[in-house]
Amino acid sequence: MANINLKDREIECKIVYYGPGRCGKTTNLEYIFKTFRKQVTGDMVCAKTEGDRTLFFDFLPMGVGKVKGFDVRIQLYTVPGQVKYASTRKMVLREVDGLVFVADSLEVRREKNALSLKDLHQNLKEYGLSIMKIPLILQYNKRDLAEQNIPIMSIEQMEKDLNRQLKAPSFPASAVIGTGVGETLKAIIKLTLQSMKQKMGW
Amino acid sequence: MDVKERIKSLLQQADIYQAQGLLNEAKDRYMQAGQIIKQHEDVIRNKSLLSSIAAKVRAINDDMKRLEESPLLREMPEQVQEVIRTKFSFSKDDNLKDMEGAIALAKFGQYKRALREFNELLSREDIRMDVAKNIFRCHMAMDLIEDAAVQYEQWMNGNLFSVGQLGKLRFFLQNILEKKGIDRQLPMPDDPGREKEVTQEEILDISSVGITISEGVKKGETIEYDVSFQSGNVINILISSTDKYLLEHLDVGITLDQVQFYSPMAMFNGKAVVSAKSKIESGPKQGYYSLDIKIKSI
């Protein structure tokens, strides 16, 4: 849950980018780091393993202005996508306020998307959170690969696969060139702050 | 799609999947392409294509092996560790928050840094026992079993923990060692009544001793003697030849389990051993027996 510091009048929200391995979670944060310089308040911290894969998490702190006189600080995290890092994913999810599920549009990754979403659902449940209630945005990444004649799933297919029950806002994206990254970020920040305001009774 | 187009498409997909780090998918596409080439050798003019694909598959296999063998945990830069320490601790209580930060470091496998943090937290009495247990856990996680045991012994010789706490820590660590099948017996913590081994330098000047007889008809009786001289942890007493019972009892090598040592500053209990016994043959104490008693513990 968001950390509210009454003394310093600060609100800290945690947003986690979740998704299967190599779906583009880190690429999202890298693009945000490069593009939203005014909002970024510190270095992007990456804990990578060999082969440029996320080992623990990526971390990017941002400031997004004031709400009710409180400075709103957003902390963006990614989780390691590889299956073997299950316990790390769970640790990163602790006290999460908002989620971006980055799905890979490649046809060959269809099953991995579903497994990762299931894993997210399970991990949230273990923290007493519901995937149906937590602020959640779906991002269908790697749309640009269609131009290189690589088989990707249609948005309709992905909606049907992943979002039929969730009915979460979703965005097509190409994180490597930045398409959809900003929209996704803005949408999750908006949803998270709305949810926080509701909880606070503001 | 004609065969050549199909192969081209598969190779293109494989290249892109490989660039994306999707190694299984890339390998699968290369192998599919290879199989089609083999099936249509008559129409494929580029004879080096198969060997080129085989080389790519080998490279992918190497990458996969390297990734599989890469450690699940490794020591991270200070900046990453600081994020772990500060952002993965959620308690409102300062002590607990700092403790959670150190535990988070350990959970992320940053054991050396976690140990540094835990050692700093040892000064906080409220959480000291939990901190100590976590220090043991870090040593064990790093397979530094001897370090854990040495740490326990250091605490045993210090005054950071009470005897009761040391007992609990010993039980905790011994239990871990046993579960891991490690045959290492940790010493019991000193209790207040337990004697401590002494060195020559630690002994005060002793003016007299009270020796309690441990067996025979005089069992339980304490007999006091003045110390005639002392050299370090060895004291000398003179016993009259008329004290036959005592002389028979105090042979060389006998351990005296209950001895009171009196010094001008304090009285203390301890153990001693009779290290020498001889009859005085001349002088004013002729006929007396001279006994050297070595102090073993106080």
Side-chain angles (χ1 to χ4, degrees):
Chain A
M1 192 184 159
N3 187 8
I4 298 171
N5 186 332
L6 293 171
K7 191 179 151 215
D8 298 334
R9 296 191 73 75
E10 273 180 12
I11 298 171
E12 225 173 56
C13 294
K14 179 174 182 176
I15 292 172
V16 176
Y17 281 65
Y18 211 91
R22 313 303 288 175
C23 69
K25 301 174 289 290
T26 300
T27 313
N28 263 273
L29 257 62
E30 282 169 346
Y31 186 82
I32 293 166
F33 182 59
K34 274 190 298 189
T35 315
F36 295 85
R37 297 302 301 179
K38 277 187 185 170
Q39 287 78 25
V40 169
T41 56
D43 284 341
M44 180 170 166
V45 176
C46 300
K48 284 179 194 291
T49 180
E50 206 174 327
D52 218 23
R53 286 157 201 258
T54 302
L55 179 58
F56 295 149
F57 54 79
D58 303 305
F59 170 76
L60 180 60
M62 299 182 79
V64 292
K66 284 184 188 285
V67 171
K68 299 265 181 189
F70 282 77
D71 272 324
V72 179
R73 300 188 182 281
I74 303 281
Q75 293 172 350
L76 303 181
Y77 289 84
T78 65
V79 293
Q82 292 177 81
V83 176
K84 62 182 174 180
Y85 297 121
S87 61
T88 309
R89 270 195 297 283
K90 196 175 164 191
M91 278 197 276
V92 176
L93 264 191
R94 189 168 166 193
E95 305 273 324
V96 63
D97 297 300
L99 277 157
V100 174
F101 183 81
V102 182
D104 197 322
S105 296
L106 289 169
E107 265 181 14
V108 287
R109 299 297 280 175
R110 186 178 175 192
E111 193 191 345
K112 301 287 181 198
N113 288 332
L115 287 174
S116 178
L117 193 62
K118 195 177 163 193
D119 178 61
L120 170 63
H121 173 66
Q122 188 57 39
N123 279 333
L124 287 173
K125 214 168 139 184
E126 285 174 30
Y127 283 125
L129 299 169
S130 163
I131 198 168
M132 304 299 283
K133 290 180 186 164
I134 197 161
L136 171 70
I137 299 289
L138 265 60
Q139 184 191 76
Y140 305 136
N141 195 23
K142 303 191 189 175
R143 304 307 300 175
D144 55 302
L145 290 178
E147 289 161 23
Q148 295 182 57
N149 294 322
I150 302 298
I152 65 168
M153 291 175 276
S154 67
I155 295 293
E156 293 72 31
Q157 175 76 64
M158 296 187 83
E159 282 281 299
K160 201 175 149 193
D161 279 359
L162 306 169
N163 206 14
R164 194 167 45 184
Q165 287 178 312
L166 295 173
K167 300 196 188 321
S170 61
F171 296 89
S174 301
V176 75
I177 51 174
T179 310
V181 173
E183 289 89 333
T184 305
L185 177 66
K186 283 171 196 165
I188 189 59
I189 291 174
K190 194 176 163 192
L191 264 188
T192 305
L193 292 180
Q194 275 172 356
S195 159
M196 195 199 68
K197 280 183 192 172
Q198 262 183 359
K199 282 181 193 161
M200 303 296 295
W202 285 352
Chain B
M1 197 187 289
D2 90 341
V3 172
K4 284 182 186 173
E5 283 300 312
R6 207 165 148 214
I7 293 167
K8 195 179 160 192
S9 168
L10 284 169
L11 292 177
Q12 191 187 6
Q13 286 176 47
D15 287 346
I16 285 177
Y17 296 159
Q18 189 177 8
Q20 300 247 330
L22 302 171
L23 301 180
N24 280 314
E25 290 80 355
K27 185 179 168 183
D28 181 61
R29 290 299 185 269
Y30 281 129
M31 290 179 77
Q32 276 187 40
Q35 277 168 1
I36 295 172
I37 293 167
K38 276 182 192 165
Q39 286 162 9
H40 298 88
E41 278 179 311
D42 49 329
V43 287
I44 308 298
R45 284 185 190 159
N46 187 351
K47 299 298 175 197
S48 64
L49 199 52
L50 261 181
S51 58
S52 156
I53 288 172
K56 287 189 174 186
V57 170
R58 274 199 304 275
I60 289 175
N61 282 339
D62 289 346
D63 281 351
M64 288 165 94
K65 195 175 169 209
R66 208 180 62 244
L67 283 173
E68 270 169 28
E69 287 170 357
S70 67
L72 282 176
L73 300 169
R74 65 187 176 94
E75 205 68 13
M76 283 287 150
E78 187 89 12
Q79 198 187 23
V80 175
Q81 292 180 338
E82 205 48 27
V83 173
I84 294 172
R85 190 182 71 81
T86 56
K87 302 295 179 191
F88 288 82
S89 51
F90 304 97
S91 181
K92 301 284 176 203
D93 175 271
D94 282 348
N95 270 346
L96 291 179
K97 189 174 169 63
D98 291 342
M99 171 100 146
E100 277 180 14
I103 291 173
L105 283 163
K107 281 185 177 173
F108 278 99
Q110 308 302 296
Y111 298 117
K112 286 181 190 165
R113 174 69 192 273
L115 270 177
R116 252 166 56 200
E117 297 296 327
F118 282 130
N119 275 307
E120 278 181 26
L121 293 175
L122 273 176
S123 61
R124 301 190 197 174
E125 207 177 337
D126 291 357
I127 53 172
R128 190 174 291 152
M129 281 297 282
D130 287 327
V131 168
K133 287 176 185 176
N134 279 301
I135 287 175
F136 286 151
R137 287 190 184 107
C138 284
H139 284 307
M140 299 312 282
M142 289 189 285
D143 269 336
L144 298 173
I145 293 136
E146 194 51 36
D147 285 17
V150 166
Q151 177 68 82
Y152 167 72
E153 283 165 9
Q154 278 175 0
W155 286 336
M156 242 184 75
N157 295 324
N159 53 10
L160 205 55
F161 296 97
S162 69
V163 171
Q165 287 174 324
L166 284 168
K168 286 176 187 168
L169 291 177
R170 182 190 174 277
F171 179 77
F172 177 81
L173 183 55
Q174 192 72 63
N175 209 20
I176 297 178
L177 293 173
E178 279 164 20
K179 277 183 187 165
K180 284 184 173 270
I182 298 161
D183 184 23
R184 172 79 150 87
Q185 278 303 310
L186 297 167
M188 295 294 285
D190 287 342
D191 61 49
R194 191 180 157 178
E195 304 87 355
K196 193 179 157 204
E197 284 215 10
V198 289
T199 59
Q200 290 204 7
E201 292 76 21
E202 287 176 302
I203 297 291
L204 294 169
D205 287 336
I206 295 162
S207 51
S208 60
V209 290
I211 298 168
T212 305
I213 308 296
S214 60
E215 55 189 33
V217 290
K218 292 192 177 182
K219 186 179 175 182
E221 198 178 319
T222 300
I223 303 162
E224 290 193 10
Y225 289 95
D226 286 335
V227 172
S228 60
F229 71 83
Q230 178 181 355
S231 172
N233 59 347
V234 178
I235 54 173
N236 178 267
I237 58 172
L238 301 175
I239 301 176
S240 167
S241 56
T242 57
D243 285 336
K244 282 185 181 165
Y245 180 83
L246 198 65
L247 285 171
E248 280 168 16
H249 182 72
L250 298 178
D251 278 334
V252 173
I254 289 283
T255 297
L256 306 169
D257 286 319
Q258 288 183 64
V259 184
Q260 290 87 52
F261 300 96
Y262 302 97
S263 84
M265 292 171 72
M267 188 276 278
F268 40 92
N269 295 312
K271 286 182 184 175
V273 66
V274 179
S275 57
K277 181 180 168 185
S278 58
K279 192 176 182 183
I280 299 169
E281 302 289 351
S282 61
K285 295 288 181 184
Q286 188 179 8
Y288 275 66
Y289 280 81
S290 165
L291 259 74
D292 282 347
I293 294 174
K294 189 176 179 182
I295 303 167
K296 283 186 77 181
S297 60
I298 52 173

